[in-house]
Amino acid sequence: RQSEVLQRATRGKGIDLVLMGDAFTDIDIETGFYKEVMELAMKSLFEPEPMKSYRDYFTVHLVYAVSKKRQLSETRSDCALRTIMKDGKVEDYTYAPSQYASRLGIASKNRFISIILNGWDSGFTHLYFDELYETYAYCGFPYGGGFRFPGRVQHESVGHGLGLLGDEYVQEENPDMIPESEKERLRACHDWGVYWNVSETNDPAAVAWSHLIGHPRYPRVGMYEGGYYHNRGVWRSEPGGIMVRSMSGYFSTFCRELIVRRIMELSGEEYTFEKFLERDVPPAPELYHAPAATDYVHLPPIINGGRP
């Protein structure tokens, strides 16, 4: 058995979500551990809004990939999807997961791929904008599980992989003020049609979420400095959310809207702001004030082969 369908879409064209694992052996598949981890990933994907309300737009495929070893190594042939660990860093090989997904006979334009790496405790996403927005989200599942795993899947697979969202967190090792070279990179991302949730301008009328500022349903939406790995010179729409801290449990309002736009685009339905308002479910107020839990170390997405 090479694959199975975990759920089928009942609305729209059907967006194909492909789940597969690397560094899982034949024993992991025989004992059911492989499927158990993939089902946990699926459960995590559909926990936050808007994924919860739009779950019926997705067909979820489980693809079986058998690796020789149960850990990442420096040898690509040890793992089915050719992922390696070199000098303490994970290096992907997106051709292999693409080949596995192609066996399903589904168009690359309407699919996005989530790869679960056994025994790793981080994550990143590889985006290709010259191949119909093919995306590969890599999410580590540490040995023994890990309470950070659901948030990691939500940040990488939903935020980056599906929503094409930019990171809203700050990296301490980066300069406080964003350099001009990275501003140019951010502008290029906007030209590609991604990362609209972060902006280099502090003009409320010019940001992509200007229509939400002052909206009575969303009093938290405004201008908050910090994001795209820097404290200053970049703005986001809300204080928190999964793209700021993966374990927060909710996507900010504008991130939810961008995810819904993407779902509508892929499903062949027309998007309108009125439709978004009609179905939007804001997070429970207590999530805004939940104590900060220890987050994992994020790795910025790889775009067309290079990091920002």
Side-chain angles (χ1 to χ4, degrees):
R1 181 173 56 174
Q2 294 182 334
S3 66
E4 63 179 286
V5 175
L6 298 182
Q7 78 164 46
R8 291 194 182 275
T10 56
R11 296 190 64 171
K13 292 180 179 179
I15 304 168
D16 292 292
L17 164 61
V18 183
L19 292 170
M20 61 184 77
D22 215 11
F24 290 86
T25 65
D26 53 353
I27 295 175
D28 293 320
I29 293 175
E30 290 171 10
T31 60
F33 176 65
Y34 185 99
K35 185 174 181 179
E36 181 183 322
V37 173
M38 300 304 145
E39 287 180 331
L40 175 59
M42 182 176 72
K43 177 177 180 290
S44 303
L45 282 165
F46 294 110
E47 280 181 339
E49 294 289 352
M51 295 296 287
K52 185 176 182 179
S53 292
Y54 288 80
R55 181 169 183 160
D56 49 359
Y57 283 85
F58 293 87
T59 294
V60 182
H61 305 265
L62 188 164
V63 174
Y64 289 95
V66 184
S67 296
K68 295 179 182 177
K69 294 188 177 181
R70 206 170 187 261
Q71 64 276 330
L72 300 176
S73 71
E74 292 189 0
T75 304
R76 288 204 182 272
S77 60
D78 283 345
C79 291
L81 304 181
R82 303 298 190 261
T83 315
I84 62 172
M85 177 77 76
K86 191 173 184 180
D87 298 326
K89 297 180 181 179
V90 167
E91 295 183 10
D92 62 338
Y93 184 68
T94 53
Y95 180 74
S98 180
Q99 287 296 102
Y100 270 83
S102 68
R103 299 175 187 174
L104 299 171
I106 55 179
S108 61
K109 186 176 181 180
N110 265 48
R111 77 184 183 206
F112 67 107
I113 299 172
S114 291
I115 299 148
I116 312 303
L117 299 181
N118 194 24
W120 192 47
D121 199 14
S122 190
F124 67 93
T125 302
H126 205 141
L127 310 173
Y128 286 99
F129 299 134
D130 52 358
E131 296 181 12
L132 300 174
Y133 291 108
E134 186 84 306
T135 66
Y136 306 84
Y138 286 80
C139 306
F141 184 82
Y143 296 130
F147 65 95
R148 293 188 291 265
F149 180 68
R152 180 175 303 144
V153 171
Q154 292 156 12
H155 180 100
E156 303 293 347
S157 297
V158 179
H160 290 312
L162 174 64
L164 305 178
L165 304 176
D167 284 315
E168 297 182 358
Y169 60 84
V170 173
Q171 291 179 320
E172 293 182 0
E173 65 269 24
N174 281 342
D176 202 44
M177 175 65 74
I178 183 172
E180 185 59 36
S181 60
E182 292 192 36
K183 282 188 178 182
E184 292 178 6
R185 180 70 169 174
L186 180 55
R187 286 192 288 266
C189 290
H190 290 166
D191 288 341
W192 284 324
V194 302
Y195 288 12
W196 283 109
N197 57 312
V198 285
S199 176
E200 61 167 314
T201 178
N202 61 352
D203 181 357
V207 294
W209 60 89
S210 60
H211 59 292
L212 290 168
I213 298 176
H215 195 288
R217 282 185 62 180
Y218 307 113
R220 293 174 64 84
V221 177
M223 301 293 297
Y224 299 87
E225 192 168 16
Y228 196 59
Y229 321 117
H230 299 276
N231 265 315
R232 298 174 57 212
V234 183
W235 283 264
R236 64 190 191 278
S237 62
E238 288 187 24
I242 287 171
M243 302 315 292
V244 178
R245 186 173 62 83
S246 63
M247 296 179 64
S248 59
Y250 71 96
F251 284 101
S252 67
T253 305
F254 188 51
C255 288
R256 293 197 305 276
E257 183 185 2
L258 289 172
I259 293 169
V260 171
R261 277 181 176 270
R262 181 89 166 120
I263 292 172
M264 294 294 97
E265 172 193 341
L266 293 173
S267 65
E269 294 188 12
E270 180 186 5
Y271 171 83
T272 66
F273 183 55
E274 289 69 28
K275 286 182 181 179
F276 168 73
L277 290 176
E278 185 179 326
R279 297 191 65 180
D280 186 46
V281 181
E286 56 266 25
L287 286 179
Y288 293 134
H289 308 292
T294 303
D295 220 350
Y296 78 96
V297 178
H298 299 262
L299 298 175
I302 298 172
I303 301 179
N304 289 350
R307 294 197 187 277

